[in-house]
Amino acid sequence: MKLKWRLSFLLIISILALLTFWNYQNRVYDWDMPGYMGSMYTSEFPDSPDKVRTLTYEEIKKEAPAAHYTDIIGIKQWDIPRQYFVKNTQSFTEQLPYFQIKVGYILVITLFYKLGFTAPMAVLFTSLISYFFTGLLLFYILKLLFPKNYWLAIALTVAAMVFPPMTYMSRVSTPDMFIFQFMLIFIIGLIKNWDKWAMFVLLFAITFIRPDYITFTLTYIVAVFFFRYFQEKKIDFSYIAQGSVLLIMYLAIIKYYHYPGWKDVFYDTFIDRRPFISNHSIDVSLKQYLSIIYIKIIYFKKVTLSVAIIIGVIFWRSKDAWIRMISVLFLVNVYIKFFFFPQSAALRFFFPFIFPLFVMMIFVLSKKYNDLKLGKIA
């Protein structure tokens, strides 16, 4: 059996290498790239914002296909903000806090840049290499769930890795593929019954990479805190300490980088993108918010149906309170993310929560196959 798993591991590495190269050939230079490159260059040249802006777009222009670059700089009549970003240093610099707060991600692309990659490729390579390691992590999870069926593990891994949201995340310059690895490690921690401090280190890393995931990390800590309280009738103050550390780190990051705030993100994304943030004060009314939510949630119906089926299967096949609680945690975070950022057309924003919920369903179904037990986090 060990020999078969070793051979299957070599096979999956070969397949993942081919898929990664395929995604590399279809890589996308999108309009998020200037923000992350500008954040990286700002740390290199903190006193030269003009140089940062100029260098950012010059380096992209050298590598990007013409169609990609014209989309980035916004040549269409309605792409006025992008036209300002490429030409006006103040406009470009004011956008950077939206990207700079993803500190861990910026550090990683900076590392690849220091290792010799061009700046655009440092951003794209982070997604590509994350895709490869995501496949290995997923294969490892499936090996844990189906230790006697390596062909099933291979088939499910390949099917997941060619799923359109997965391939898309690997081709674009966003931290979605990078953070997805850590969500899979989180699943491994649950399956392997890691202790609470190992899980905290992981939660710390997730928040450091993407501070907007503070909603996930804090809801997990709160959920485990109350689960233990009702199970053991005692208060574990270590969870309060963990939550406090994560919250303080989050607040420190957004303050240090002068993050504009949720209303600004919502307004610039769903109402009107401002060329100059400082020159245009905004106010999102409840009516505006609800009207946008109403429209977006209609287009979110496929996700709603999918997660409803998944959670239904989990509750049908498992009566374990811990499994149900963790599953509901992922489900709740899908909708927390949606109500904060209802970009229903972009599944990549919700996929890191939907897919672990799918894995929980596979876990529940696998119990019938090999009677696995998901331990409680100590």
Side-chain angles (χ1 to χ4, degrees), residues 172-220:
V172 295
S173 49
T174 70
D176 299 300
M177 194 78 253
F178 184 66
I179 196 67
F180 189 62
Q181 301 171 101
F182 290 84
M183 297 301 291
L184 292 182
I185 296 172
F186 179 83
I187 289 290
I188 293 172
L190 293 176
I191 296 173
K192 300 285 285 184
N193 195 22
W194 289 358
D195 68 67
K196 62 186 175 185
W197 290 108
M199 295 299 284
F200 171 69
V201 170
L202 181 57
L203 295 174
F204 187 94
I206 289 172
T207 310
F208 186 66
I209 293 165
R210 287 202 61 157
D212 56 316
Y213 273 47
I214 187 69
T215 50
F216 168 71
T217 55
L218 285 185
T219 51
Y220 169 77

Side-chain angles (χ1 to χ4, degrees), residues 59-321:
E59 291 300 306
I60 295 174
K61 189 176 182 179
K62 289 178 184 177
E63 292 189 25
H68 293 196
Y69 184 70
T70 53
D71 182 59
I72 289 172
I73 64 175
I75 63 169
K76 295 178 181 178
Q77 190 175 9
W78 56 85
D79 284 336
I80 294 174
R82 298 188 201 182
Q83 295 167 19
Y84 272 93
F85 300 158
V86 71
K87 296 176 182 178
N88 188 285
T89 297
Q90 180 187 344
S91 177
F92 178 73
T93 303
E94 288 183 356
Q95 301 296 317
L96 293 185
Y98 287 143
F99 303 90
Q100 288 172 312
I101 63 166
K102 290 144 188 180
V103 182
Y105 177 68
I106 300 298
L107 288 175
V108 171
I109 64 175
T110 302
L111 173 64
F112 287 130
Y113 177 68
K114 295 291 187 182
L115 289 174
F117 288 86
T118 63
M121 189 49 62
V123 180
L124 290 170
F125 183 76
T126 302
S127 295
L128 289 165
I129 196 66
S130 298
Y131 174 86
F132 180 82
F133 284 114
T134 290
L136 293 181
L137 289 168
L138 180 57
F139 179 71
Y140 178 69
I141 289 172
L142 292 169
K143 179 180 179 296
L144 293 176
L145 300 185
F146 302 102
K148 299 178 182 178
N149 198 329
Y150 54 92
W151 283 116
L152 180 61
I154 292 173
L156 289 176
T157 300
V158 174
M161 298 309 290
V162 298
F163 192 52
M166 196 82 83
T167 57
Y168 178 76
M169 290 191 296
S170 74
R171 298 171 182 179
V172 295
S173 49
T174 70
D176 299 300
M177 194 78 253
F178 184 66
I179 196 67
F180 189 62
Q181 301 171 101
F182 290 84
M183 297 301 291
L184 292 182
I185 296 172
F186 179 83
I187 289 290
I188 293 172
L190 293 176
I191 296 173
K192 300 285 285 184
N193 195 22
W194 289 358
D195 68 67
K196 62 186 175 185
W197 290 108
M199 295 299 284
F200 171 69
V201 170
L202 181 57
L203 295 174
F204 187 94
I206 289 172
T207 310
F208 186 66
I209 293 165
R210 287 202 61 157
D212 56 316
Y213 273 47
I214 187 69
T215 50
F216 168 71
T217 55
L218 285 185
T219 51
Y220 169 77
I221 288 175
V222 170
V224 175
F225 172 82
F226 281 106
F227 185 87
R228 282 207 59 175
Y229 175 75
F230 287 114
Q231 289 284 314
E232 303 174 14
K233 305 302 180 184
K234 68 177 183 179
I235 296 176
D236 190 336
F237 288 98
S238 63
Y239 289 112
I240 298 175
Q242 291 179 1
S244 299
V245 170
L246 294 180
L247 184 58
I248 290 170
M249 179 179 67
Y250 168 77
L251 294 174
I253 289 173
I254 64 173
K255 183 176 178 59
Y256 180 80
Y257 289 105
H258 307 289
Y259 185 64
W262 173 79
K263 281 188 177 181
D264 294 85
V265 176
F266 192 88
Y267 186 91
D268 283 338
T269 305
F270 302 106
I271 299 175
D272 184 32
R273 187 69 182 234
R274 297 165 293 171
F276 295 92
I277 293 176
S278 60
N279 295 345
H280 185 175
S281 60
I282 57 98
D283 183 36
V284 179
S285 68
L286 180 61
K287 183 179 180 180
Q288 283 178 307
Y289 172 75
L290 291 177
S291 64
I292 291 169
I293 289 293
Y294 175 75
I295 294 170
K296 296 294 184 177
I297 204 167
I298 292 173
Y299 295 101
F300 208 55
K301 57 182 180 292
K302 290 183 179 179
V303 171
T304 298
L305 177 61
S306 299
V307 296
I309 292 172
I310 292 172
I311 203 73
V313 171
I314 291 172
F315 273 64
W316 170 52
R317 295 301 304 173
S318 176
K319 307 301 180 185
D320 189 305

